[in-house]
Amino acid sequence: GPGPGPTVWAGTVAYLPPSGPEGYDPATLDGLADPHPARPAPLPGQRVRAGDLRLFWSLSFAMTTADFAALGGFDEAYVGYGGEDTDFAMRLRAAGGSLWWLGGAAAYHQHHPTQNPPVQHRSDIVRNANLFAQRWGWHPMEGWLAGFADAGLARLDPASGCWMLTEPEEA
C-alpha cells in the first residue's frame, strides 16, 4: 500500500472520439475510448504503484488535503500552459511520496482539436520549461521542445542551457 509520504491516486485517462450533435451517451463511454497509451490502465479495483512520477497528470487525481498542503499545492510561478504537473510530481518525489494508478476511476478526455507540438502555447512552454530546469536540473516537455526546434520555433542555447524562442524560418 501507500508509503509514509504524501500519496496521490490517479485514475486512468481515455481520449474520447469526436461526438455527434447529441454529445456522448454516458452509458457507452467505456466502449468509446481507449486508455492513454503512455499510462497504466489497471483493472477495476487494482492499484498499481507508478515507477515514473513524471506521468502524473492533474487531469485526474485525488489526495488528502493534508498531503496537498504538505506539497505546497501547485506552484503558481508556472504561468499558462505546461510544466506545473511535472513540478508537482518532482515535489512529490522529493517528499518521499508515491503515485498510484487506481483501476475503475476512469476520466474521459473530451475530444477537441489539438496541435502537436502545441505551437499556440510555445511561449508558455519555453518559459515554464526553463523555470522547471532552474529548479530541477532538466527540461520537461522534451518532445514538445524538440518539435519546436525541428520547426524552427525554439532552440536550446548551449551557453545558458535555456530554451529560447526563435522566429519561424522563411520557406
Side-chain angles (χ1 to χ4, degrees), residues 15 81 109-120:
Y15 286 103
Y81 193 87
H109 190 283
Q110 187 172 351
H111 177 81
H112 60 86
T114 61
Q115 289 183 293
N116 190 15
V119 296
Q120 71 276 26

Side-chain angles (χ1 to χ4, degrees), residues 9-16 30 33-42 55-61 101-110:
W9 298 96
T12 58
V13 175
Y15 286 103
L16 292 169
D30 277 340
D34 292 325
H36 191 289
R39 288 171 171 78
L55 294 179
F56 168 74
W57 194 5
S58 62
L59 180 79
S60 174
F61 79 102
W101 300 101
L102 184 61
Y108 299 98
H109 190 283
Q110 187 172 351

Side-chain angles (χ1 to χ4, degrees), residues 48-165:
V48 176
R49 186 175 182 143
D52 186 354
L53 296 182
R54 294 175 303 167
L55 294 179
F56 168 74
W57 194 5
S58 62
L59 180 79
S60 174
F61 79 102
M63 63 190 308
T64 67
T65 54
D67 282 354
F68 188 75
L71 294 178
F74 288 97
D75 189 332
E76 293 183 17
Y78 292 91
V79 177
Y81 193 87
E84 71 283 355
D85 285 356
T86 311
D87 179 79
F88 187 83
M90 293 303 95
R91 287 188 285 122
L92 177 65
R93 182 174 70 185
S98 57
L99 171 64
W100 291 80
W101 300 101
L102 184 61
Y108 299 98
H109 190 283
Q110 187 172 351
H111 177 81
H112 60 86
T114 61
Q115 289 183 293
N116 190 15
V119 296
Q120 71 276 26
H121 299 295
R122 72 182 176 116
S123 295
D124 293 342
I125 290 170
V126 166
R127 179 197 176 280
N128 290 343
N130 288 329
L131 173 64
F132 182 98
Q134 289 169 359
R135 295 180 176 178
W136 300 106
W138 56 278
H139 287 96
M141 305 177 282
E142 302 97 327
W144 290 344
L145 293 168
F148 296 153
D150 290 345
L153 299 173
R155 67 178 179 85
L156 183 62
D157 178 54
S160 67
C162 291
W163 280 89
M164 305 174 81
L165 294 174

